[in-house]
Amino acid sequence: MMRRAAWLLLPALVLAFLLLGSGLDFNYVIPKRLVRLGAIVVAGVCIALSSVIFQTLAGNRVLTPAIMGYEGIYLLFQAVLVLWLGTGSVARLGAQGNALLSMALMLGYSWLLQRWLLREGRGDVYRLLLLGLVLTMVLGTFTQFIQLKTSPGEFSILQSLGYTSFNRAQPAQVLYSGLLVAAVAVLVARGTRVLDVLALGRDQAIALGLDHGRCLRLQMALIAVLVAVSTSLVGPTAFMGVFVANIAYALARSARHQVTLPLACAVAIGMFLLAQLLVEHLFNYRTSVSILVNLVCGAYFLALMVRTRGTP
Amino acid sequence: MITLEHLHKAYGDKTVLEDVSLAFPAGQVTSLIGPNGAGKSTLLMCMARLLPASRGRILLDGQDIGRIAIADYARRVATLRQVLDFNLRLTVEDLVAFGRFPYSRGLLTADDHQVIDESLDFLGLQALRRAYLDELSGGQRQMAFLAMTIAQRTDLLLLDEPLNNLDMKHAVQIMQAIRRLCDEQGRTVILVVHDINFAANYSDHVVAMKQGAVHSHGPVAEVVTEANLRALFGLAFEILPSAQGFVCNYFNPSLSRELV
């Protein structure tokens, strides 16, 4: 019932987002909105898939890949760029160059992280988490330190990069990201049954005949791609993944990834659309998507917790 | 049949298993007993390939287990570890279906459904098949996990403390099921048990471990003796025979005062 409502709500939100107050202007307004819609869909899928898979691997429902230092690396790189090349850095590199470099950096970071931790094939997720958490803090401090050296103009650019926004995305970047994410999504869809087994924990997964180390490495690589794409496209999303995943679990009433993954995608896209609609039409860009997403998700998540506690 | 040849396991310079060589009899229930830290679970984990041994070999029907693909191994050896916190929203049926993963990689065939049914029947879980695991008692959940392990249809089952945290009734049910697996289906079961009375009354063969080495092993009657258990646990034992088997009293054996 709730699940069907969630699925029906999504097309309604898409239509509202595209048409509301557009005056049916197919030459300028709607194409612009289609680009933003593309960014929302791509980022939503990235966040939903990466968070649910990550929580499955970690066997923990309050984590997202965002705390693994990926977003920290992105923000630090942006700060370094602005410090070295000044506010003209965006023009010098081009939007594509910046996005590609950021992605390459995040993938490299993920590769190093795994290589260091998973040598000898020990699939120890908790050590990975500890390291990720500490690195996030260290990277954040470095970024702050660099920000001290920037001018007020540069600082405001950096600050805006720290928030989720769909207005930065260029059409070409949305297209490339969309293709990459579609390829990853196909791989994920093929492996939902393996994910179900991985959710039982390392020992049970091995007892059921999975090469646990190899599966873990593959899934971590997919997560890295997803996080890199979404961060370079729309900026950091911090804890949104926690909300999205948990709302999806509550709606799904099943731990099967075949159910939870698509549902999480729908929830993420719906949240983004709702937040963007409110930013554009109600608040007139006086607030940011990040703040609204956290507000909406947080309130809904709290309501859900209270309600599920109430029913025995 | 599974045999161990000079098995060593060490974490850093702490030796957990030292030169363990054993042959587990096929088609029998073997209990691993011994004090905490004796290496029973480590031994079981090595056989389950959850832990790599530091030295030595483990042979399954004469074949080094390291050379068997892990996916094939899961069709020959099923392992059940202790179920600690489990918060996945799955039904009993969903869980038992995972036991067929080594065969069908998640796409269940008619054959798989039949095996799942039989496993549920075997443990009397049909009434609970649509119940969610997080709504079951600890004992029922343990039964569901055992049903998954049974559904793997392996010749060898490795169970790590299957009676942990269970009440007496569920413990007896689990041990009776293990006995039937062996007697009716000819499967080999190796389990770690802490309750000496369950080991003594339900197994054919006992391996006693102490400080990482085999202390004694053999048929129950040979290993479970007052003198042997006293040496193994450092505790006075009194073995009381009864019509249905025997009871090892270590709570307040009448001899204890003289011994200590």
Side-chain angles (χ1 to χ4, degrees), chain A residues 193 202-203 207-208 255-256, chain B residues 50 81 89 94 98 106 152:
Chain A
R193 294 191 171 81
R202 172 188 177 266
D203 290 352
L208 290 172
R256 308 207 75 113
Chain B
L50 295 174
R81 291 216 62 185
R89 197 151 173 86
D94 287 340
F98 281 122
Q152 263 178 273

Side-chain angles (χ1 to χ4, degrees), chain B residues 230 234-236 253 255-260:
Chain B
R230 191 189 313 140
L235 200 65
L255 314 160
S256 62
R257 239 159 260 139
E258 298 140 48
L259 274 166
V260 173

Side-chain angles (χ1 to χ4, degrees), chain A residues 61 193-194 196-197 199-200 202-204 206-211 253-256, chain B residues 50 70-71 74 79 81 86-89 94 98 101-102 105-107 132 148 152:
Chain A
R61 289 183 170 192
R193 294 191 171 81
V194 171
D196 288 341
V197 174
L200 298 175
R202 172 188 177 266
D203 290 352
Q204 202 56 60
I206 295 175
L208 290 172
L210 272 190
D211 184 341
R253 297 181 173 281
S254 161
R256 308 207 75 113
Chain B
L50 295 174
I70 190 82
T79 309
R81 291 216 62 185
F86 190 83
N87 53 10
L88 290 179
R89 197 151 173 86
D94 287 340
F98 281 122
F101 187 83
R105 312 299 284 179
L107 281 170
Y132 283 98
M148 168 179 74
Q152 263 178 273

Side-chain angles (χ1 to χ4, degrees), chain B residues 17-38:
Chain B
L17 289 178
E18 204 174 0
D19 197 25
V20 175
S21 295
L22 276 173
F24 289 92
Q28 294 196 0
V29 176
T30 302
S31 289
L32 294 171
I33 62 167
N36 287 333

